[in-house]
Amino acid sequence: MVWYDSVGILELIIKGAIIGVIASAGMGPVGVLCIQRTLNKGRWYGFVTGLGAALSDFIYALIVGLGMSFVTDFIKDERNHFYLQIIGSIVLLIFGVISYRSNPVKNVREGGSKHQGTLFHNGWTAFLITLSNPLIIFIFTTCFALFTFVIPEHPIEVGLGFAGILGGAIAFWYVLTLCIDKLRHRFTLKTIVTINHIMGIIVVLIALYMLIGTVTDLYSLPSIEDVHR
């Protein structure tokens, strides 16, 4: 019996939600597009833009998850699992710093297009834009390895965990568009930069928590010996 035989459904759902937020947090082209559409067209146009991005991210998450069997074999060794979490934490930390330092408004037009189109069209275009960025695969690979997310012999639990990814991403876009809609009269390009900084800080804090927790053994899952006691 290995440590992941006692995996909890709620734990995987929470991990999935965190991964979904991390994947959505980088204020890239779709994030800026979501903000622009919320300001120019209305909250629900911005939200369906986020939904399109979330669906694309979910597809990439499934692709990565189906190819992660080699990682689950690798982390059966506790030492490999420890080093993998350390590396994953550092990579996530770098991602957060890069996200914080990036300039999401570099190519933004303050006015933006006011042509509404249909809700479906807005969601579809966001889906295609996100799908055209395969670098998200790298983020999911890192997060899955770091959170020990893909666990063999637990298809139902992992399936609910993937639902958590989609739910976390949708919740992120819902809250973002809600805040933008409520604060639209105070919204400027500087506000976009501030949001980007906040998202970057959140990712950095998660990475630091995982890194410190791994090193101090506060976050590590039960060892083989603990399971057999």
Side-chain angles (χ1 to χ4, degrees), residues 26-189:
M27 194 57 59
V30 174
V32 175
L33 184 63
C34 175
I35 292 174
Q36 285 186 314
R37 286 178 173 175
T38 302
L39 293 174
N40 296 328
K41 303 179 181 182
R43 177 189 170 192
W44 295 112
Y45 283 90
F47 180 59
V48 296
T49 298
L51 284 182
L55 180 59
S56 178
D57 286 344
F58 182 68
I59 291 175
Y60 273 128
L62 290 177
I63 293 173
V64 173
L66 292 174
M68 287 289 285
S69 59
F70 72 95
V71 174
T72 59
D73 292 334
F74 181 75
I75 61 177
K76 287 179 182 179
D77 184 282
E78 285 189 59
R79 180 172 296 183
N80 291 339
H81 181 224
F82 173 80
Y83 288 131
L84 195 61
Q85 284 193 312
I86 293 292
I87 294 172
S89 298
I90 294 174
V91 171
L92 196 62
L93 180 63
I94 293 173
F95 171 71
V97 172
I98 292 175
S99 178
Y100 179 90
R101 292 173 57 86
S102 64
N103 181 12
V105 300
K106 183 168 57 177
N107 299 315
V108 174
R109 295 173 298 161
E110 196 151 4
S113 173
K114 296 183 183 296
H115 176 65
Q116 284 193 325
T118 64
L119 291 173
F120 176 80
H121 176 266
N122 282 261
W124 176 247
T125 53
F127 173 82
L128 293 178
I129 292 173
T130 308
L131 197 66
S132 67
N133 180 23
L135 290 178
I136 193 66
I137 290 178
F138 181 70
I139 300 300
F140 279 122
T141 302
T142 299
C143 288
F144 285 2
L146 177 60
F147 287 90
T148 319
F149 185 77
V150 180
I151 303 175
E153 310 303 329
H154 291 276
I156 295 177
E157 291 88 342
V158 173
L160 291 173
F162 274 102
I165 292 178
L166 184 60
I170 292 175
F172 171 84
W173 294 112
Y174 181 86
V175 172
L176 178 64
T177 53
L178 176 63
C179 293
I180 294 169
D181 188 58
K182 296 297 183 182
L183 302 174
R184 63 169 53 247
H185 299 298
R186 302 179 182 179
F187 222 86
T188 64
L189 294 181

